[in-house]
Amino acid sequence: MMSSSSQSYVNAAKHGQNISVQRTKILLLGTRRSGKTSIQQVLFHHLPAKQTFYLEPTMRVAKHEFDTVIPLEIWDCPGNITVDSLGASLADFATIIFVIDIRDLYQQPVSKLVEFIVAACQVNPDINFEVFVHKAEKLQEDDKIENFRQIHERVVDRLADESPEYEQVPLNFHLTSVYDHSLQEAFSRVLHKLIDSLPYLEDLLNVFCLNTSSPKAFLFDTASKLYLATDSSPVDQATHNLCCDYLQMLTSFGPLYKSNAEGDIRAHLFSPTPTPPPTATPSPPSFSTSPSSTLKACVQSPPHTPSNLPLDARNAKPLFYPSAATSLSPSHPGTTLSYHLVTPHLALLALLPTTIYDMRRGLVEWNVVWFREGVREIWEVEKERSNAEGV
Ligand SMILES: Nc1nc2c(ncn2[C@@H]2O[C@H](COP(=O)(O)OP(=O)(O)OP(=O)(O)O)[C@@H](O)[C@H]2O)c(=O)[nH]1
């Protein structure tokens, strides 16, 4: 059985409704040393923030490909690039990210940004403009807010000077730094506008939260630590940071753990056709990292193998799905942060009441299976679509 959210996405994809078919291009612009290459390297190449200090200046446009739910192509540009020297039409880009050093209150970055906005609006009215007011951690809270406000005001004023019609151009401003998770949060929000399947992923997360009494759940890309979707409750920065830290810890230490279920098909934790969850099914973890945190792994056949999948996908070996959990507060009732890998590169991170996680583990895992199945179907459609287009 297919969840209604993923089923409607598959149907929409089959009918080719509103679905982009090319590698989505993002243009990374800004004046010299504003931090463009650092952003790209920290997010997509795991470069430690401190090592960005040693990055060489970018002399020509560098194109970086990154595959997540949608295939991306990020163009890192030199500081002196102009609309004419870019070598591509601005119509080819879905998003322009303009990086401004938060301490740079001079006219140059604002003029450059305005030049690109005016040129882009003429050829591509649907383009998204994102302004990363970067290196935010350099300033104290009050100065940070003041500089952010001034940069915002100057851009809006300069656009109004160009023509009143540009006052309506939607610009999204974000405070970012490579030294904390504000960069991941800002880039996640940029990405959300580009993912056609976002409403379907959000629906799946909402259903998961409803069924498991979870106050917050995210679908993360494990490589970049960007969240691709979350449920409809507001994102609180502390919770987001916590999830990023946990994901980082698991991806750093994960390879040290070996599943004793690996290679043993009989070790499936879930039956191929899930039955309704029992009310309480405590399942002891395979590994204990500390009294309050657990990491376990299971080999799982998909609960349902759609007959429309390619033959090699249907005959594929069972996938390996590690999961982990840690207790956030030992006090009663307490909260548990859980991690479940749902595709080779996507993970569900959810806050759960500890009572639910401890006493109704079957309910949680049953919902994870269905969430995983929904995401997997959406992911397969995206993958097939990209392959069909030769991306
Ligand atoms: N404090 C702080 N420094 C940063 C941050 N991001 C980048 N930097 C530093 O800014 C400097 C320039 O970074 P780059 O990534 O090379 O900047 P760029 O915009 O690609 O520079 P060009 O290639 O010359 O255009 C480096 O010394 C980085 O360490 C940040 O968030 N905070």
Side-chain angles (χ1 to χ4, degrees), residues 31-38 52-53 55 57-58 79 134-135 137-138 177-179:
T31 48
R32 280 207 59 231
R33 312 224 12 106
S34 54
K36 304 175 289 297
T37 309
S38 306
T52 59
F53 184 76
L55 287 171
T58 309
H134 194 54
K135 309 190 188 181
E137 96 292 341
K138 284 258 181 195
S177 166
V178 293
Y179 287 97

Side-chain angles (χ1 to χ4, degrees), residues 273-330:
T273 315
T275 47
T279 48
T281 55
S283 70
S286 313
F287 304 98
S288 276
T289 49
S290 76
S292 62
S293 82
T294 61
L295 175 66
K296 67 177 188 175
C298 66
V299 179
Q300 188 202 344
S301 296
H304 153 74
T305 307
S307 54
N308 56 351
L309 278 183
L311 199 61
D312 57 340
R314 271 181 276 151
N315 294 338
K317 275 204 272 179
L319 294 169
F320 176 61
Y321 291 126
S323 66
T326 186
S327 172
L328 296 179
S329 52

Side-chain angles (χ1 to χ4, degrees), residues 29-347:
L29 294 170
T31 48
R32 280 207 59 231
R33 312 224 12 106
S34 54
K36 304 175 289 297
T37 309
S38 306
I39 289 174
Q40 195 275 124
Q41 289 288 325
V42 168
L43 283 179
F44 302 113
H45 297 279
H46 308 292
L47 185 73
K50 281 186 183 159
Q51 290 192 19
T52 59
F53 184 76
Y54 304 104
L55 287 171
E56 299 283 330
T58 309
M59 303 312 283
R60 64 173 76 102
V61 175
K63 299 173 194 172
H64 302 274
E65 293 185 352
F66 180 73
D67 288 315
T68 177
V69 162
I70 52 166
L72 298 176
E73 187 172 292
I74 299 161
W75 289 36
D76 180 12
C77 299
N80 59 359
I81 200 99
T82 62
V83 176
D84 296 329
S85 61
L86 180 63
S89 164
L90 291 174
D92 297 344
F93 296 90
T95 296
I96 291 180
I97 299 178
F98 197 94
V99 186
I100 300 185
D101 185 324
I102 192 162
R103 296 158 306 171
D104 194 350
L105 295 178
Y106 304 103
Q107 286 303 320
Q108 201 204 354
V110 175
S111 306
K112 197 175 170 67
L113 170 58
V114 169
E115 174 197 333
F116 271 91
I117 293 174
V118 170
C121 284
Q122 282 162 10
V123 292
N124 185 359
D126 295 330
I127 196 164
N128 301 303
F129 295 107
E130 311 283 346
V131 183
F132 283 10
V133 180
H134 194 54
K135 309 190 188 181
E137 96 292 341
K138 284 258 181 195
L139 299 182
Q140 298 292 330
E141 203 58 27
D142 287 351
D143 294 337
K144 195 189 291 186
I145 304 294
E146 179 54 22
N147 284 22
F148 184 77
R149 192 191 62 74
Q150 281 197 34
I151 290 172
H152 184 279
E153 199 174 86
R154 285 176 190 197
V155 174
V156 174
D157 288 352
R158 279 292 314 278
L159 277 173
D161 290 348
E162 285 290 325
S163 160
E165 71 182 282
Y166 295 124
E167 276 181 279
Q168 309 306 324
V169 175
L171 301 175
N172 306 294
F173 286 76
H174 313 259
L175 272 170
T176 56
S177 166
V178 293
Y179 287 97
D180 54 41
H181 298 308
S182 57
L183 179 60
Q184 277 82 7
E185 190 173 355
F187 209 99
S188 299
R189 291 178 191 275
V190 170
L191 207 52
H192 295 165
K193 300 190 188 103
L194 306 175
I195 301 176
D196 290 323
S197 51
L198 184 70
Y200 306 97
L201 294 171
E202 285 174 346
D203 278 357
L204 290 172
L205 284 156
N206 283 333
V207 170
F208 176 85
C209 288
L210 195 71
N211 289 351
T212 59
S213 309
S214 164
K216 192 74 207 153
F218 294 95
L219 178 67
F220 270 95
D221 178 281
T222 51
S224 59
K225 294 195 294 304
L226 299 174
Y227 71 92
L228 305 177
T230 184
D231 64 287
S232 52
S233 67
V235 176
D236 143 60
Q237 205 179 20
T239 307
H240 172 260
N241 292 350
L242 200 69
C243 291
C244 286
D245 285 337
Y246 193 46
L247 195 55
Q248 187 158 349
M249 191 274 284
L250 289 174
T251 31
S252 312
F253 292 104
L256 299 177
Y257 290 87
K258 189 168 172 290
S259 163
N260 56 8
E262 201 171 1
D264 181 1
I265 277 177
R266 285 168 304 173
H268 291 183
L269 279 189
F270 309 106
S271 63
T273 315
T275 47
T279 48
T281 55
S283 70
S286 313
F287 304 98
S288 276
T289 49
S290 76
S292 62
S293 82
T294 61
L295 175 66
K296 67 177 188 175
C298 66
V299 179
Q300 188 202 344
S301 296
H304 153 74
T305 307
S307 54
N308 56 351
L309 278 183
L311 199 61
D312 57 340
R314 271 181 276 151
N315 294 338
K317 275 204 272 179
L319 294 169
F320 176 61
Y321 291 126
S323 66
T326 186
S327 172
L328 296 179
S329 52
S331 64
H332 190 76
T335 306
T336 292
L337 174 58
S338 71
Y339 159 98
H340 290 90
L341 200 67
V342 296
T343 76
H345 305 289
L346 303 180

